[in-house]
């Protein structure tokens, strides 16, 4: 039972981190290819919401002694380290780039680390109340913050508020809920819903940045009651497609299951490859071969390479902050030579 449970969540995490990489790989091509744009919107509707929901599910032990110290070490310290590393990296790969290093403005995908830290902190307050009130309050907050321009990328506050309901829903879910949605008849229904959603996006024109949760309503339109309605619609789409995706995740062990335990490494490291590609001739070359198959293979290879033991051992000191491991890596490398 325990192994089956872990297999399911590890499978989900691998598939989601693959979609994260895939979404970043195809991003440079969305403006001039309607099919890639549609695929991009479809993926962003559920891939981070599903990641956030699963993160909430695994936050149930927040009352354990030392939990706050553990997540601070796991999230905040790597966040600060990679903020510095990415700041230097951008100077190296961007032409005429100037050094900007602001720990309060997350670089690229690092927003997830700081938001995840804040979501965990909110549990100390929200869990004092009934779940239904907590979730409704979180949705209300996520809708209201859109009217405030000051709540933006600073400390990832906008995304923190907007995606908080998904984290809290995940926290309150139980294992039997995941079992229920993976029943064969539910999976058929989920596949139909996802297919309809994907095709619907061809006929509905909207700014994909709505899906990021990082912009105030004024970025998209004149703020009005319709702005709140738009966020409600996106909340609904994200929640439904997230459940449908999780319904389709295999419960048995697969060839990629073990890689699902290494998603943090892929998440933090894939930006170096993606950003290098975007500022090199690789993207220009790929513009002539805008094939979903090519993008899929490339994304899978990036995900696979960053999940290997070699990469894990080399980067472990920076991500897990286990510097005692680093001399071992050096000794092993020396012996292998």
């Amino acid at each position: 039972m325990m192994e089956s449970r872990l297999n399911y969540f590890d499978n989900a995490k691998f598939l989601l981190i693959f979609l994260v990489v895939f979404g970043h790989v195809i991003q440079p091509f969305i403006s001039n290819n309607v099919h890639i744009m549609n695929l991009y919107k479809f993926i962003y509707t559920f891939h981070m919401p599903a990641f956030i929901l699963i993160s909430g599910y695994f936050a149930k032990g927040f009352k354990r002694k030392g939990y706050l110290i553990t997540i601070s070490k796991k999230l905040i310290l790597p966040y600060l380290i990679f903020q510095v590393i990415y700041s230097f990296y951008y100077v190296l790969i961007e032409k005429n780039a100037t050094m900007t290093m602001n720990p309060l403005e997350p670089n690229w995908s690092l927003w997830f680390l700081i938001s995840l830290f804040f979501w965990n902190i909110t549990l100390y307050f929200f869990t004092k109340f009934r779940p239904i009130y907590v979730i409704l309050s979180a949705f209300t907050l996520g809708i209201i913050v859109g009217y405030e321009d000051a709540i933006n990328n600073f400390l990832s506050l906008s995304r923190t508020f907007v995606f908080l309901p998904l984290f809290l829903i995940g926290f309150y879910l139980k294992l039997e809920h995941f079992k229920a949605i993976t029943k064969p008849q539910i999976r058929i229904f989920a596949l139909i819903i996802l297919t309809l959603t994907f095709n619907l996006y061809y006929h509905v024109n909207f700014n994909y940045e709505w899906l990021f949760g990082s912009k105030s309503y004024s970025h998209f339109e004149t703020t009005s009651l319709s702005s709140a309605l738009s966020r409600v619609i996106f909340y609904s789409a994200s929640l439904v497609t997230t459940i449908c995706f999780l319904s389709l995740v295999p419960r048995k062990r697969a060839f990629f299951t073990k890689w699902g335990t290494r998603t943090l490494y892929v998440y933090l490291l894939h930006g170096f490859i993606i950003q290098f590609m975007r500022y090199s001739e690789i993207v220009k070359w790929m513009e002539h071969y805008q094939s979903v198959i090519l993008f899929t293979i490339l994304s899978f290879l990036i995900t696979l390479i960053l999940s290997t033991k070699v990469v894990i051992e080399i980067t472990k000191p920076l991500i897990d902050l286990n510097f005692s491991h680093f001399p071992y890596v050096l000794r092993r490398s020396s012996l292998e030579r």
Side-chain angles (χ1 to χ4, degrees):
M1 182 69 70
M2 177 63 71
E3 183 180 358
S4 176
R5 181 196 69 124
L6 293 177
N7 287 340
Y8 171 79
F9 288 110
D10 287 341
N11 289 341
K13 288 190 291 183
F14 174 80
L15 293 172
L16 288 169
I17 198 63
F18 164 76
L19 290 177
V20 169
V21 175
F22 182 77
H24 288 153
V25 166
I26 67 174
Q27 193 277 334
F29 313 104
I30 60 176
S31 59
N32 57 7
N33 189 314
V34 65
H35 302 296
I36 299 226
M37 171 64 85
N38 199 60
L39 187 57
Y40 185 79
K41 288 179 177 179
F42 177 69
I43 290 170
Y44 270 77
T45 306
F46 64 86
H47 78 328
M48 286 313 297
F51 238 133
I52 293 163
L53 186 145
I54 291 175
S55 298
Y57 176 80
F58 282 102
K60 294 185 186 338
F62 76 100
K63 290 184 178 180
R64 290 198 306 263
K65 183 179 179 181
Y67 184 83
L68 191 58
I69 295 175
T70 300
I71 64 169
S72 298
K73 180 181 177 182
K74 185 177 180 179
L75 300 173
I76 298 301
L77 290 180
Y79 165 78
L80 294 173
I81 290 171
F82 277 84
Q83 273 284 97
V84 175
I85 294 174
Y86 269 113
S87 296
F88 279 104
Y89 185 67
Y90 289 149
V91 173
L92 290 175
I93 64 173
E94 293 184 34
K95 295 179 180 178
N96 303 318
T98 56
M99 174 65 70
T100 57
M101 193 180 300
N102 184 355
L104 305 181
E105 295 279 348
N107 271 321
W108 203 42
S109 58
L110 296 181
W111 68 268
F112 181 69
L113 297 186
I114 195 165
S115 286
L116 184 54
F117 175 79
F118 286 138
W119 292 326
N120 275 273
I121 295 298
T122 63
L123 293 176
Y124 291 96
F125 170 76
F126 279 123
T127 51
K128 297 178 181 179
F129 307 97
R130 292 181 61 184
I132 185 65
Y133 297 142
V134 168
I135 293 172
L136 288 176
S137 298
F139 274 119
T140 303
L141 279 173
I143 293 168
I144 292 175
V145 296
Y147 289 103
E148 180 53 63
D149 291 342
I151 299 178
N152 45 41
N153 195 47
F154 177 79
L155 284 175
S156 189
L157 288 180
S158 181
R159 283 182 167 116
T160 299
F161 282 114
V162 171
F163 290 121
L164 175 62
L166 278 302
F167 180 83
L168 292 171
I169 289 172
F171 175 79
Y172 288 115
L173 287 178
K174 298 179 180 179
L175 185 58
E176 49 262 38
H177 295 131
F178 291 97
K179 288 182 179 179
I181 64 173
T182 54
K183 292 180 178 178
Q185 59 270 32
I186 301 297
R187 284 181 164 175
I188 294 172
F189 185 69
L191 184 59
I192 293 172
I193 293 296
L194 288 176
T195 303
L196 290 174
T197 302
F198 178 75
N199 285 282
L200 177 64
Y201 278 6
Y202 275 110
H203 308 285
V204 179
N205 186 29
F206 64 90
N207 190 327
Y208 63 85
E209 290 186 337
W210 273 102
L211 301 169
F212 295 168
S214 59
K215 308 289 185 181
S216 64
Y217 298 146
S218 62
H219 176 79
F220 304 102
E221 56 189 26
T222 303
T223 54
S224 63
L225 184 60
S226 65
S227 303
L229 180 59
S230 295
R231 178 146 289 170
V232 170
I233 292 172
F234 283 109
Y235 268 141
S236 301
S238 290
L239 193 55
V240 170
T241 53
T242 292
I243 294 171
C244 289
F245 167 81
L246 292 173
S247 173
L248 298 177
V249 172
R251 293 175 61 178
K252 295 183 179 180
R253 186 170 184 82
F255 72 92
F256 53 80
T257 303
K258 62 181 179 181
W259 298 323
T261 62
R262 305 166 185 175
T263 54
L264 181 60
Y265 289 85
V266 180
Y267 192 85
L268 289 173
L269 299 173
H270 81 283
F272 295 107
I273 300 174
I274 300 297
Q275 295 294 0
F276 174 79
M277 288 170 52
R278 291 182 181 180
Y279 290 98
S280 69
E281 297 297 317
I282 296 176
V283 167
K284 292 182 180 179
W285 175 81
M286 291 175 66
E287 285 180 350
H288 302 290
Y289 304 93
Q290 293 186 33
S291 164
V292 173
I293 295 176
L294 172 64
F295 295 147
T296 301
I297 294 173
L298 177 60
S299 301
F300 181 79
L301 288 175
I302 292 173
T303 308
L304 176 60
I305 291 169
L306 296 180
S307 300
T308 58
K309 289 184 178 180
V310 174
V311 172
I312 302 301
E313 289 180 349
I314 293 173
T315 59
K316 194 177 184 69
L318 290 176
I319 296 176
D320 286 352
L321 301 179
N322 184 5
F323 291 97
S324 62
H325 180 80
F326 196 54
Y328 165 75
V329 175
L330 291 179
R331 288 198 305 272
R332 180 175 177 179
S333 299
S334 299
L335 289 173
E336 289 176 348
R337 286 198 299 269

